[in-house]
Amino acid sequence: MKNDMSSSGSLPPRGRPRSQDADIRILKAALSLVERVGFKALAMEAIAEQAGVARTTVYRRWPNKATLVMDAFLSDIGPEIEFPKGSSPMESLRSQMSLLARAFRGRRGVLVRSLLAEAQFDAELKKAFLERWILKRRATAKLVVAEAIVAKELAPDTDGDVLLDALYGGLYYWLLIGTTPPTEKHVQALWNLVTKSTS
Amino acid sequence: MKNDMSSSGSLPPRGRPRSQDADIRILKAALSLVERVGFKALAMEAIAEQAGVARTTVYRRWPNKATLVMDAFLSDIGPEIEFPKGSSPMESLRSQMSLLARAFRGRRGVLVRSLLAEAQFDAELKKAFLERWILKRRATAKLVVAEAIVAKELAPDTDGDVLLDALYGGLYYWLLIGTTPPTEKHVQALWNLVTKSTS
Amino acid sequence: MKNDMSSSGSLPPRGRPRSQDADIRILKAALSLVERVGFKALAMEAIAEQAGVARTTVYRRWPNKATLVMDAFLSDIGPEIEFPKGSSPMESLRSQMSLLARAFRGRRGVLVRSLLAEAQFDAELKKAFLERWILKRRATAKLVVAEAIVAKELAPDTDGDVLLDALYGGLYYWLLIGTTPPTEKHVQALWNLVTKSTS
Amino acid sequence: MKNDMSSSGSLPPRGRPRSQDADIRILKAALSLVERVGFKALAMEAIAEQAGVARTTVYRRWPNKATLVMDAFLSDIGPEIEFPKGSSPMESLRSQMSLLARAFRGRRGVLVRSLLAEAQFDAELKKAFLERWILKRRATAKLVVAEAIVAKELAPDTDGDVLLDALYGGLYYWLLIGTTPPTEKHVQALWNLVTKSTS
DNA sequence: GGCTAAGCGAGACGGTACGTCTAGTCTTGGG
DNA sequence: CCCAAGACTAGACGTACCGTCTCGCTTAGCC
């Protein structure tokens, strides 16, 4: 998460305002570089240079590489992984998983893997990753599960969290450990196995 | 995997033999340090020093930090996560998951997380992690699943890989993302959900 | 020398006038800081802060650290090093050297040393130091020397510049190189040696 | 003064020995750069680059810019400022002053000025400058003065230190403050003035 | 009272050098 | 051929100042 010195909701901004343009250019540079050279080889220097910005400007806004890439990732990934308004709750859930898997297959896969990996070494980043990425989606997912129960698509005693752990856990497991990205077929098989019982 | 320059099984060793003691001391040092300061802050220099060994001696045996820690990890984790000869195949599977979760709760959790994380940035390590850790266990697990099918504990069309992805995927997911290590209760809930259908 | 944008003596001042108070506060801050931390570690930022003034306000008035400290020094050192109206020209000269040495022993020593040192790296400062400090005093000194010649205290062919170089050169030499500040005794010995011949 | 870890006079050297060649290349680079760009603009980075050496190698041997340049200076200045075996002690002294003035007129002038200036901000450098440059020469100079007294060229009560302060002080004064380097004529005049009396 | 101009506090900005750190390699002497 | 020691190249790191700039606001003289 970006440095944001503004003490909540009050006093007018003082001093020269930060260039919004720089923000965008830095995020773009970070994104393109992390995709090209990977997270490890990504140097702050290189980001600054590509963004046409002084190194200090980057450090003024983000305390480290990880949070910068995190922001870049979130600013990049858009509504393509939203829960589609499907015919039924379960259908919506299933197709969101497919969308996520598709995103993982693309350049976003590298980003998620990098961030999740880096988060293992950085408590703050882990928190950010959890709250800003995982939990945000899970909140919606649990609503969908609740709807599914109401619609009798799921057994009334279904534990949403556990169900989602099995489904998404399997997906992330593949992302991190598999030799190939998760295909649509994988998602299908996983979905079938896990939901067979709960219907 | 350790460097082993000896061309397979032929000519007798020349020159001074490598100190076996050094190996042990290096692995121990690596282990204790990675637990103390974490993988990122772990410096080869520090390992060598704590092992009372020159840096070159470490590099002569392991090409880099990751494979060294990998070896240290594997040398440390013993039969405590073997599949127990239980009353039934499914029972054996279930209790192995519990053992694994327990290991994750201890200091081994940090190691697995570190290695899996680092593997995202290092193709060779990823391969090593997959082959020497994940697949080794999965091979056995799939045999157990096959036995379970024979014993009619599982439906005959059960796909072992998918089943194990759901089970272990859920577990690793928790390890990496959860704010607390996976408890026995989690394992139970996950097991129940996933196996309810397949019986 | 301070920035003074006002084109000589004409058009009335426009806009908000500069705070005179700020000037004083800045000079004071510079003085106290340079004595505390030395010239090298003296940051414009710190001066501004201690003066309770924005950094731009400092830069609006002085182009750089050196000239600011130069002004601070000159504003600080007062009539205590003026040529005393003594009983005779030579006596006046001698006692002024003593006064200067005494000033060098105090906090002014650090300032002169810093400025003279910095001047070696900065042509403009060197010029300023020469004109505003050295030559100002030397002009008077040469008049005194002339009087001394008239009074037959000095040989008629005495070269004032060379005489003063020997006297003040010896003093500055001590200031810069000596391990202790120049004592009254030093000044005496130097004076005696140099003037013995010229009488 | 260079870093020299060797504990006095014992144990054989361990580890890879430092490249003597690097020493030479670094000193040469420092010298040529300081003459080209001046002390202030002289960057360690640039020295390392020009010497074809890693930056760490420079820092391993010299703790900072000043001591490095000090060593470069001393390694550069050779016997050209030795006291010449002249016809008489006073003659020897006089001509050494001329030699020194000549050196000051050349590229060495910049170096001495830079070092003496920097020494005002750095106690260690000041000590080094004093001991390794000033005092070394003064020791010899005082011997010469003593000889001169024996030879009745100087009054028997002459204080060598004060005499040398007046002579060399005047010279350094010119070097630091003058707008032109000290000419032979200056040296002559100074010499005549100071020594007229003491004969 | 509104207009113009400059001062002012605050802080962003481009830039540059710093000195440190770690990785992984190389070069000694000695076993 | 191993080992300890430590020099070496390479390169990123995060920090510290510098001197400039860009805001919104204030303080003056002038029409």
Side-chain angles (χ1 to χ4, degrees), chain B residues 100-194:
Chain B
L100 192 59
R102 179 185 301 169
F104 283 177
R105 266 176 256 137
R107 57 182 194 185
R108 271 66 171 260
V110 194
L111 281 167
V112 172
R113 280 170 46 206
S114 295
L115 288 168
L116 183 44
E118 199 61 20
Q120 304 307 313
F121 305 126
D122 179 342
E124 251 190 295
L125 179 63
K126 185 167 185 175
K127 190 159 165 286
F129 187 81
L130 187 60
E131 291 176 0
R132 302 178 63 198
W133 172 246
I134 300 290
L135 293 188
K136 216 153 207 176
R137 244 139 292 279
R138 173 157 293 213
T140 316
K142 285 180 74 173
L143 288 180
V144 176
V145 167
E147 289 175 33
I149 291 175
V150 170
K152 313 241 180 200
E153 292 184 315
L154 285 176
D157 64 342
T158 305
D159 183 328
D161 275 318
V162 177
L163 174 64
L164 295 169
D165 280 357
L167 288 172
Y168 287 95
L171 191 54
Y172 275 91
Y173 191 58
W174 252 99
L175 178 67
L176 293 177
I177 280 177
T179 45
T180 58
T183 65
E184 177 61 21
K185 232 173 127 182
H186 281 124
V187 176
Q188 252 7 299
L190 192 59
W191 174 267
N192 288 338
L193 180 99
V194 174

Side-chain angles (χ1 to χ4, degrees), chain C residues 126-146:
Chain C
K126 186 168 184 173
K127 190 158 166 287
F129 187 81
L130 188 60
E131 292 175 359
R132 301 178 64 198
W133 172 245
I134 299 290
L135 293 187
K136 218 154 204 175
R137 244 140 291 279
R138 173 157 294 214
T140 317
K142 285 179 75 174
L143 289 180
V144 176
V145 167

Side-chain angles (χ1 to χ4, degrees), chain A residues 1-185:
Chain A
M1 178 115 42
K2 267 188 58 181
N3 275 336
D4 193 352
M5 305 267 167
S6 64
S7 32
S8 55
S10 53
L11 59 154
R14 304 233 269 159
R16 175 173 171 177
R18 291 193 181 167
S19 157
Q20 297 172 266
D21 193 47
D23 257 51
I24 297 169
R25 292 209 313 276
I26 292 170
L27 290 172
K28 268 200 181 131
L31 215 46
S32 87
L33 280 169
V34 84
E35 279 161 16
R36 183 132 46 89
V37 305
F39 187 91
K40 265 292 167 54
L42 176 64
M44 293 297 254
E45 169 84 66
I47 296 173
E49 194 183 12
Q50 176 152 333
V53 138
R55 200 140 51 107
T56 39
T57 297
V58 181
Y59 279 111
R60 197 175 298 114
R61 296 165 189 230
W62 290 276
N64 55 55
K65 200 164 63 168
T67 59
L68 168 52
V69 173
M70 180 83 198
D71 273 7
F73 165 61
L74 289 177
S75 79
D76 177 53
I77 197 150
E80 77 246 36
I81 47 152
E82 295 290 295
F83 285 81
K85 290 230 171 283
S87 39
S88 78
M90 285 302 268
E91 183 52 27
S92 170
L93 198 59
R94 202 202 52 74
S95 56
Q96 200 271 346
M97 266 193 75
S98 287
L99 291 177
L100 193 58
R102 180 186 301 168
F104 283 177
R105 267 175 256 136
R107 56 182 194 184
R108 272 66 172 261
V110 195
L111 281 168
V112 172
R113 280 171 46 207
S114 296
L115 288 168
L116 183 44
E118 200 61 20
Q120 303 309 314
F121 306 127
D122 179 342
E124 254 190 292
L125 180 63
K126 185 167 184 175
K127 189 158 166 287
F129 187 81
L130 186 60
E131 292 176 0
R132 302 179 63 197
W133 172 246
I134 299 290
L135 293 187
K136 216 153 207 176
R137 245 139 291 279
R138 173 156 292 215
T140 317
K142 286 179 74 173
L143 289 180
V144 177
V145 167
E147 291 175 32
I149 291 175
V150 170
K152 313 241 180 203
E153 293 184 315
L154 285 176
D157 64 341
T158 306
D159 183 328
D161 275 317
V162 177
L163 174 64
L164 295 170
D165 280 357
L167 287 172
Y168 287 95
L171 191 55
Y172 275 92
Y173 191 58
W174 251 100
L175 177 67
L176 292 177
I177 280 177
T179 46
T180 58
T183 64
E184 178 60 21
K185 236 174 123 181

Side-chain angles (χ1 to χ4, degrees), chain C residues 72-193:
Chain C
F73 165 62
L74 289 176
S75 79
D76 178 52
I77 197 153
E80 75 249 35
I81 49 152
E82 294 289 297
F83 285 82
K85 290 230 173 282
S87 40
S88 79
M90 286 301 271
E91 184 50 29
S92 170
L93 198 59
R94 201 202 54 72
S95 54
Q96 198 272 345
M97 267 193 73
S98 287
L99 292 176
L100 193 58
R102 180 185 301 167
F104 283 177
R105 267 175 256 136
R107 58 181 193 185
R108 272 66 171 259
V110 194
L111 281 167
V112 172
R113 281 170 44 208
S114 295
L115 288 168
L116 183 43
E118 198 61 20
Q120 303 308 313
F121 306 126
D122 179 341
E124 251 190 296
L125 179 63
K126 186 168 184 173
K127 190 158 166 287
F129 187 81
L130 188 60
E131 292 175 359
R132 301 178 64 198
W133 172 245
I134 299 290
L135 293 187
K136 218 154 204 175
R137 244 140 291 279
R138 173 157 294 214
T140 317
K142 285 179 75 174
L143 289 180
V144 176
V145 167
E147 290 173 34
I149 291 175
V150 169
K152 314 243 179 197
E153 293 184 316
L154 285 175
D157 62 340
T158 305
D159 183 329
D161 276 317
V162 177
L163 174 65
L164 295 170
D165 280 357
L167 287 172
Y168 288 94
L171 190 55
Y172 275 92
Y173 190 58
W174 251 99
L175 177 67
L176 293 177
I177 279 178
T179 45
T180 57
T183 64
E184 178 61 20
K185 232 173 128 182
H186 280 124
V187 176
Q188 248 13 293
L190 191 60
W191 174 267
N192 289 337
L193 180 98

Side-chain angles (χ1 to χ4, degrees), chain D residues 45-114:
Chain D
E45 170 84 65
I47 297 175
E49 194 182 12
Q50 176 154 332
V53 137
R55 202 138 48 105
T56 38
T57 297
V58 181
Y59 279 111
R60 196 175 299 115
R61 296 162 190 233
W62 289 276
N64 55 54
K65 199 163 63 166
T67 60
L68 168 52
V69 172
M70 180 83 196
D71 272 6
F73 165 62
L74 289 176
S75 79
D76 178 54
I77 196 151
E80 77 245 36
I81 48 151
E82 295 290 296
F83 285 80
K85 289 230 172 283
S87 39
S88 79
M90 287 302 270
E91 183 52 28
S92 171
L93 199 59
R94 202 202 54 74
S95 55
Q96 200 271 346
M97 268 194 74
S98 287
L99 291 176
L100 193 59
R102 180 185 301 166
F104 284 178
R105 265 174 257 139
R107 56 182 194 183
R108 271 68 169 260
V110 194
L111 281 167
V112 172
R113 282 170 45 207
S114 296

